[in-house]
Structures are given as C-alpha cells and as structure tokens.
C-alpha cells in the first residue's frame, strides 16, 4: 500500500516538475507533501506545534503562487524542512528540526534501510542472498551479451544493420529518472528519521542556567570587579560616541549620495563590531555563577545600560538610513540595512532577557533562530521588487530608473504604467517596453504547472488588449 | 565486508548511475558507447577507491573502539557527512551550469558514498 501511494505521488511529482519552471507546481507539491506526511504520521499531526508548522508551510505555498518571488520559494523550502523536522521530533529546537528535516529529506531512505537491517538482520540476510543471486543471474549474462554484440557488430554487416535498427527512443529515460527522484524524495519523508545524538542532547538541555556546587566567592568578586570596570568604561565610550554621532547627524546637511552612503555603511560597520563585542562580553560575564552572585546588581545595571546604548546606536543608524532612503529611494541594500538593524535590536532584547531571567546561551540560540524563521516567513509576504518600484516612483526625489528596470519582471506592469504617464528618454522607454513585452509573453506562454497569480490578474485586466496589440 | 569488496561494489554502482544519467540526456543510447562504458570502470574504480579511502574509512579507523560501535559512528557522523557531501555536490553542479557530465559525475558520487557508508556500517554488526 505504501509503495502504491509513493508511486502515485512520484508520477504526480514528474507531472508537476518535469521540464517546468516554478509556479503553481510548487504550491501543489506542498499540498501533496502535507498529505503524504499526514497519512503516514497521523498521530504526529495531533501535536499543536506540527499543526502550526503545517499551516505555515501551506501559507508559504500560497505565497509562492501569489508573489512568485525567490524569497517566497526559499521560505517554502525552509518551511518544508522545518515541518519534516517537526514531524520527527516536535519538542526539539528549531535548528535541530532543520538538521533532522534536511537529513530526512536527503537520505531518510538510506537511514531506514540501515536501521531495518540491524533489526531484522537474519530475515534481511536471506533476502539479500536472493537479491544477490538474482542480480548475478540477470547482470552477468547481460554484460557478456552486450560485450559479444559489440564484438560481432564489427564482424558481420547484416548483423550490424539489424543491431543498429534497435531503437530505445520510445523510452524517456530522463522522465523515468525524474520520477525515480520523486519516489526517492517521498520515500524519504514518508516516515521521517531522527538524528539521535543531536536530538537527545537538545532535548536534555534546558534554557535555564544552574548554579554550580563548587564556586569560589573570591574568584567571583574579582570577575565582577573586572566586568564592572570594563562595562563602565565601555559605557562612557559609547555615550561619547553617540553624542558625537548626534552632533554629526544634526550638523551635516548633505544630500550627496556618496556622503549619505558612507555615513550609513561606516555606521553599520561600527554597529556590527559594537554589537558582536557587546554580546560576547555579556555572555562571557554572565556565563555561570556570576548570575547567582548576590553583589552583581551593579554589573547587571551596567549591562542593561550598554544594551540600551547599543539600541540607541541602532536608532541613529536607522535615522541615517531613513535620510538616505528619503533622498534616493529604496534599494535591496538599503532594505537589507533596515532588516539587519531590526535583527540587531531583537538580538539585544534577547540578550537582555538572558541576563534578567538567568538563562543560558542555548536560550539565545533557540529564541533567535525561531525569530529568524518567523521573520523569513513574514518578509516573504512582500513582493519586494514591486514595493521598491512603487515607493520609488511615488516618493523618491531622485529616481534611479535603470535600477528599477534591472529588477525582476514583477514590476513590469508598474513600470509600463509609469512609462505611459511620463516623458522618458527613448532608451529607457524602449527598455521598459521590452521588459513589459517579455513579461506578458512569459506569462502567456506558461504551462498550467507554471501558473502564478499574475496569470489570473492578466486575464482579468485590460492587459489582454495589450497582448493582442503585441501579437499584431 | 572488506574494503576492497566495498570499493568494487561502489565502483559498479557508481558506473551504473553515471552512465544511466549520462545516457538519459540528449546523447541518447548508442552502441558505440559500450566499449567506453567498460573502459570507464578503470577511472571510476580509482576515484571510488580514493574517495572511500580518504573520506569514509578514516572516520571508522579513528573513531571505532570498544565504546563506540560502527552503528553509533553511523548515527552520529553519517548525517554530517551526507549534508556536507550534498552541499559540495550541489555547489559543483551549480558552478558547472548543470553540465550533464558534471551532473552525472556528482549524482553518482553522492549516491555511491551514501550507499558505501551503509555497507561499511553494516559489516561490523554482522561480525559482532
């Protein structure tokens, strides 16, 4: 029964993906994978975490169809791996679920084969001998027959003609291999496997820090002294830096791209160094018994202050980046800076939580990877090419049209509307016209497997008349 | 299982996969390829032997002892090995712009190393 399900799934896999681009097929594949996982692991799908990941996976599948961006495809693949890992062990950390998910997806079949061989060694041994005999029975005569055919071909022209007429073109070997790949993939995820060593360690490791039985008060005092001095000096230094930065921000009134760019990038480099050092220092001092030391209030307060001041630094760079965007519009790099700043802020908040709630470093890793996953899903909701184009056309005082033209075809309709409403130079106008024409042709020439939401939109809007105009 | 017999089986497996993937391309099946198929066994055997002796055997030689069985080595290190190997193979295939020769080579290399791990880990359990 299992094999019949897998064969049906693998044929569907080939129908969906063989010689096709990504589109509706990935969304259908996601539903198919969910069905296969749910059928073979029904009891696991009663778990709330697994249900939650299933919903996220289905949501990313819908995003692939609606947005059709590289980010939505990446989010869908990571959601798939997470779901498979969650079916393996839902209580483990998300990065262990990724580890289990990747492992299951790529070699689950081989792992199960190895485990089954150990459980039913005797039974398998018997089968192996039969299989080996069968392989010899077919393989050895086949090799000799092929070898002799090649020899005789050169000795007799009539024999050569007959052999040359044998034609295997009716067999589509590529399609068969693709179907085998589908079978292998579905067979891997049919009953997900677990990496015991990593999963067990993860399940046994809690988030809370425990006080060691042997701790020297004298050593802790010295460490506290060192930490207090270091953090105090670093706080003074960062306050001084922030004051000078605020002065520089309020006095510099340049609108030159190079000045604004240099301000943002230098600020980012400073921030990267500052945040990494801040987190390492805090993690070092609060790695063990200093968390439970009665006289650690000063050190904790200094750490909180430093985290807060680093957050101020994040805010200052965000302001510089905002100025840059306000003058020259959005680009991927500028959005990337904002995302990095947001992630940094989250990193600082989780470090603050680690110190205040006396958590260990695993807590930081666990919570931050989970947040990264959620953010990836949230960011994939946006069609960034379209949003960048729309924002820049409507708000940017200085529009870099060539940058927008070089983005993916997701902004082609928007750019074409802009072309019609504005007087552009001939070169840019032609490039937008070509881009839009390519987009319409690509969308119209898609097979049903490659359909996206843009196909539906195109049918529903007046673009159909444009298509006719182009075809004429 | 002895290392030599493992390498022999791996070479046959690698050669079969390599030629099946290669012949599935636009090249198609041609009787003129038959001698090359047999000849290709020599370089494939050398590559298999080197890969197995350099990347798989040392893991068992260095880590296997009374406290650490082959089964435990398999469960702990096979996932790491296979993920790194897949990453490397995918990277090489991508860098070659999905050239059919590279694709055949890396697909066969990946599947063969994975199967070779199973053969290695299986052997000792029977002997114990």
């Amino acid at each position: 029964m299992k094999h019949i399900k897998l064969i049906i799934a693998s044929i569907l896999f080939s129908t969906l993906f063989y010689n096709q681009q990504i589109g509706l097929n990935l969304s259908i594949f996601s539903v198919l994978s969910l069905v296969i996982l749910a059928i073979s692991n029904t009891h696991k799908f009663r778990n709330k975490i697994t249900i939650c990941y299933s919903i996220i996976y289905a949501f990313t599948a819908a995003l692939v169809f609606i947005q059709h961006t590289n980010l939505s495809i990446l989010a869908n693949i990571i959601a798939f791996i997470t779901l498979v890992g969650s079916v393996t062990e839902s209580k483990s950390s998300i990065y262990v679920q990724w580890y289990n998910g990747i492992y299951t997806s790529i070699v689950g079949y081989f792992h199960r084969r190895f485990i089954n061989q150990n459980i039913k060694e005797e039974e398998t041994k018997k089968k192996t001998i039969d299989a080996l005999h069968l392989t010899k029975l077919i393989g050895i005569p086949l090799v000799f027959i092929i070898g002799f055919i090649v020899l005789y071909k050169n000795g007799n022209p009539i024999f050569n003609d007959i052999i040359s007429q044998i034609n295997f073109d009716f067999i589509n070997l590529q399609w068969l291999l693709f179907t085998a790949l589908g079978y292998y993939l579905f067979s891997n995820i049919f009953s997900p496997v677990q990496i015991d060593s990593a999963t067990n360690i993860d399940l046994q490791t809690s988030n809370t820090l425990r006080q060691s039985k042997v701790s020297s008060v004298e050593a802790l005092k010295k460490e506290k002294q060192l930490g207090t001095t270091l953090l105090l000096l670093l706080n003074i230094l960062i306050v001084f830096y922030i004051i000078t930065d605020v002065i520089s921000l309020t006095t510099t009134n340049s609108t030159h791209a190079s000045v604004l760019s240099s301000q943002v990038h230098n600020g980012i480099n400073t921030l990267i160094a500052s945040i990494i050092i801040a987190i390492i220092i805090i993690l070092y001092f609060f790695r063990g018994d200093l968390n439970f030391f009665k006289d650690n209030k000063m050190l904790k307060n200094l750490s909180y202050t430093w985290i807060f001041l680093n957050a101020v630094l994040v805010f200052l760079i965000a302001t510089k980046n905002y100025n840059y965007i306000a003058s020259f519009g959005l680009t991927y790099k500028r959005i990337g800076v904002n995302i990095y700043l947001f992630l940094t802020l989250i990193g600082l908040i989780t470090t603050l939580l680690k110190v205040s709630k006396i958590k260990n470093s695993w807590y930081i890793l666990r919570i931050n990877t989970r947040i990264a996953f959620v953010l990836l899903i949230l960011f994939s909701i946006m069609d960034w090419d379209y949003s960048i184009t729309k924002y820049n056309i409507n708000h940017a005082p200085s529009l870099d049209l060539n940058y927008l033209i070089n983005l993916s075809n997701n902004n082609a309709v928007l750019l074409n509307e802009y072309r019609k409403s504005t007087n552009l130079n001939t070169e840019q106008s032609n490039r937008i016209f070509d881009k839009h024409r390519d987009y319409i042709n690509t969308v119209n020439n898609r097979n049903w497997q490659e359909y996206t939401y843009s196909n539906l939109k195109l049918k529903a809007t007046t673009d159909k008349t444009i298509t006719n105009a182009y075809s004429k | 299982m002895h290392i030599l017999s493992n390498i022999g089986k791996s070479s046959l497996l690698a050669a079969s996969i390599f030629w099946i993937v290669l012949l599935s391309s636009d090249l198609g099946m041609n009787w003129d390829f038959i001698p090359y198929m047999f000849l290709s066994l020599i370089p494939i055997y050398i590559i298999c032997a080197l890969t197995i002796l350099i990347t798989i055997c040392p893991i068992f030689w260095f880590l296997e002892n009374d406290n650490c069985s082959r089964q435990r080595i398999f469960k702990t290190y096979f996932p790491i090995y296979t993920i790194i190997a897949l990453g490397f193979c995918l990277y090489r295939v991508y860098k070659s712009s999905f050239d059919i020769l590279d694709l055949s080579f890396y697909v066969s290399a990946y599947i063969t190393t994975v199967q070779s791990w199973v053969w290695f880990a299986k052997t000792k359990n029977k002997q114990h």
Side-chain angles (χ1 to χ4, degrees):
Chain A
M1 193 62 187
K2 176 192 165 185
H3 292 291
I4 295 169
K5 285 175 197 165
L6 290 179
I7 288 167
I8 294 169
S10 57
I11 291 169
L12 279 171
F13 178 83
S14 271
T15 313
L16 289 172
F17 290 105
Y18 183 65
N19 275 343
Q20 307 294 335
Q21 301 288 320
I22 297 293
L24 181 65
N25 48 11
L26 191 58
S27 307
I28 297 173
F29 170 80
S30 304
V31 176
L32 190 65
S33 302
L34 263 173
V35 171
I36 291 280
L37 276 168
I39 287 172
S40 54
N41 305 276
T42 319
H43 59 289
K44 297 269 175 90
F45 273 78
R46 286 177 195 137
N47 186 299
K48 279 180 188 169
I49 297 169
T50 311
I51 293 171
C52 178
Y53 283 135
S54 305
I55 293 167
I56 291 173
Y57 183 47
F59 178 65
T60 58
L63 284 178
V64 170
F65 178 71
I66 296 165
Q67 302 290 22
H68 197 240
T69 58
N70 289 337
L71 195 64
S72 61
I73 294 168
L74 178 73
N76 181 261
I77 294 167
I78 293 178
F80 170 76
I81 290 166
T82 315
L83 175 65
V84 174
S86 163
V87 173
T88 303
E89 177 53 72
S90 59
K91 285 176 187 166
S92 60
S93 308
I94 198 162
Y95 52 87
V96 174
Q97 287 172 352
W98 290 337
Y99 192 28
N100 279 325
I102 293 172
Y103 182 61
T104 296
S105 306
I106 62 176
V107 281
Y109 165 78
F110 286 96
H111 182 96
R112 279 200 307 276
R113 242 187 103 202
F114 173 72
I115 298 296
N116 290 343
Q117 268 164 356
N118 288 316
I119 295 168
K120 300 172 185 174
E121 206 163 278
E122 281 308 307
E123 196 184 324
T124 320
K125 199 177 169 184
K126 213 173 177 181
K127 280 182 185 170
T128 313
I129 291 164
D130 290 338
L132 194 72
H133 179 66
L134 202 69
T135 314
K136 280 180 186 172
L137 203 69
I138 299 167
I140 294 171
L142 196 70
V143 168
F144 276 97
I145 285 172
I146 291 171
F148 275 97
I149 286 174
V150 174
L151 277 176
Y152 293 153
K153 252 177 69 153
N154 299 324
N156 180 341
I158 298 170
F159 184 78
N160 186 24
D161 285 346
I162 293 167
I163 292 298
S164 301
Q165 279 170 12
I166 299 173
N167 191 348
F168 292 106
D169 285 351
F170 65 95
I171 302 171
N172 190 342
L173 197 56
Q174 220 167 50
W175 186 89
L176 284 175
L177 285 179
F178 207 82
T179 312
L181 177 72
Y183 184 90
Y184 177 68
L185 182 65
F186 283 115
S187 162
N188 283 343
I189 64 166
F190 198 80
S191 43
V193 294
Q194 165 177 311
I195 303 166
D196 291 337
S197 49
T199 313
N200 292 341
I201 290 171
D202 182 65
L203 290 175
Q204 284 160 13
T205 311
S206 76
N207 285 333
T208 316
L209 209 60
R210 283 183 192 153
Q211 192 172 6
S212 66
K213 285 171 187 168
V214 191
S215 60
S216 155
V217 178
E218 200 56 39
L220 286 177
K221 264 187 182 174
K222 281 180 185 171
E223 204 169 299
K224 193 213 86 177
Q225 266 181 343
L226 174 68
T228 310
T229 316
L230 182 66
L231 282 172
L232 185 70
L233 290 172
L234 285 171
N235 272 319
I236 293 167
L237 189 68
I238 203 171
V239 166
F240 184 66
Y241 177 81
I242 287 170
I243 291 168
T244 54
D245 207 32
V246 170
I247 292 167
S248 143
L249 201 67
T250 46
T251 52
T252 314
N253 203 14
S254 176
T255 50
H256 288 290
S258 57
V259 176
L260 290 169
S261 169
S262 144
Q263 273 185 352
V264 171
H265 293 127
N266 290 341
I268 279 289
N269 292 337
T270 312
L271 188 70
I272 291 170
S274 177
I275 303 286
I276 290 172
I277 297 167
I279 291 174
I280 290 172
I281 289 174
I282 290 169
L283 287 181
Y284 174 76
F285 285 112
F286 291 97
R287 72 188 182 283
D289 290 339
L290 210 53
N291 284 282
F292 306 98
F293 190 55
K294 282 180 185 171
D295 199 18
N296 69 357
K297 210 169 183 182
M298 178 76 162
L299 186 65
K300 276 198 170 182
N301 287 336
L302 281 171
S303 303
Y304 297 150
T305 313
W306 205 29
I307 290 171
F308 171 74
L309 290 172
N310 272 295
V312 172
L313 206 60
V314 169
F315 174 75
L316 284 172
I317 297 170
T319 311
K320 286 177 194 172
N321 199 34
Y322 173 76
N323 288 341
Y324 195 14
I325 291 168
S327 301
F328 295 98
L330 284 169
T331 61
Y332 270 103
K333 276 189 180 175
R334 288 163 214 165
I335 292 170
V337 168
N338 272 343
I339 291 171
Y340 173 75
L341 292 173
F342 185 59
L343 291 175
T344 307
L345 202 63
I346 286 169
L348 288 170
I349 293 167
T350 51
T351 312
L352 187 106
L353 287 173
K354 178 241 176 302
V355 176
S356 65
K357 292 188 173 178
I358 314 180
K359 302 282 185 187
N360 56 20
S361 303
W362 290 109
Y363 167 79
I364 294 226
L365 186 64
R366 280 172 181 156
I367 196 162
N368 284 344
T369 44
R370 193 158 286 187
I371 290 169
F373 174 69
V374 172
L375 287 177
L376 173 72
I377 305 296
L378 290 177
F379 289 141
S380 66
I381 294 173
M382 292 281 285
D383 181 350
W384 291 101
D385 288 340
Y386 182 86
S387 305
I388 288 170
T389 310
K390 194 171 184 182
Y391 176 88
N392 288 0
I393 287 174
N394 293 323
H395 300 103
S398 168
L399 185 64
D400 185 354
L401 206 55
N402 289 328
Y403 176 80
L404 298 179
I405 295 169
N406 288 333
L407 293 177
S408 78
N409 277 348
N410 285 4
N411 66 359
V413 173
L414 206 58
L415 278 176
N416 195 48
E417 282 167 10
Y418 180 69
R419 180 185 68 89
K420 285 178 187 168
S421 62
T422 320
N423 282 328
L424 300 173
N425 65 47
T426 321
E427 193 210 334
Q428 284 182 331
S429 182
N430 286 343
R431 283 185 70 195
I432 293 173
F433 182 83
D434 290 344
K435 184 182 170 96
H436 187 243
R437 186 189 53 200
D438 289 345
Y439 169 71
I440 300 288
N441 285 338
T442 311
V443 171
N444 280 335
N445 290 332
R446 279 175 182 160
N447 295 322
W448 69 266
Q449 292 98 327
E450 300 167 332
Y451 270 20
T452 63
Y453 181 60
S454 52
N455 287 81
L456 304 180
K457 260 198 312 195
L458 206 64
K459 275 184 186 171
T461 56
T462 51
D463 282 325
K464 205 162 186 183
T465 43
I466 298 169
T467 319
N468 293 335
Y470 282 131
S471 59
K472 280 172 192 173
Chain B
M1 184 194 293
H2 298 293
I3 292 173
L4 272 179
S5 104
N6 194 339
I7 293 171
K9 276 166 60 167
S10 299
S11 306
L12 285 175
L13 179 67
S16 313
I17 297 168
F18 177 80
W19 281 105
I20 287 172
V21 177
L22 196 66
L23 295 176
S24 73
S25 71
D26 297 336
L27 286 172
M29 177 60 196
N30 193 328
W31 287 102
D32 297 338
F33 288 146
I34 305 288
Y36 296 107
M37 285 181 185
F38 289 108
L39 280 174
S40 70
L41 278 170
I42 300 165
I44 287 173
Y45 182 85
I46 295 167
I47 293 167
C48 274
L50 287 173
T51 310
I52 288 170
L53 287 172
I54 293 169
T55 69
I56 302 176
C57 288
I59 299 172
F60 288 97
W61 289 335
F62 291 120
L63 296 172
E64 193 182 10
N65 55 42
D66 292 340
N67 298 323
C68 194
S69 66
R70 288 204 159 202
Q71 193 173 355
R72 199 170 157 196
I73 292 172
F74 179 89
K75 284 185 175 177
T76 312
Y77 298 100
F78 176 65
I80 301 167
Y81 181 94
T82 190
I83 290 170
I84 293 171
L86 182 80
F88 175 75
C89 292
L90 285 178
Y91 173 74
R92 293 305 310 171
V93 171
Y94 174 76
K95 285 296 278 185
S96 71
S97 308
F98 296 89
D99 175 64
I100 189 66
L101 204 66
D102 288 74
L103 184 74
S104 315
F105 179 82
Y106 287 106
V107 166
S108 62
Y110 179 69
I111 296 173
T112 307
T113 47
V114 167
Q115 180 58 50
S116 190
W117 260 89
V118 176
W119 279 329
F120 265 117
K122 199 179 88 179
T123 324
K124 207 71 175 181
N125 292 329
K126 280 180 183 176
Q127 289 174 7
H128 272 305

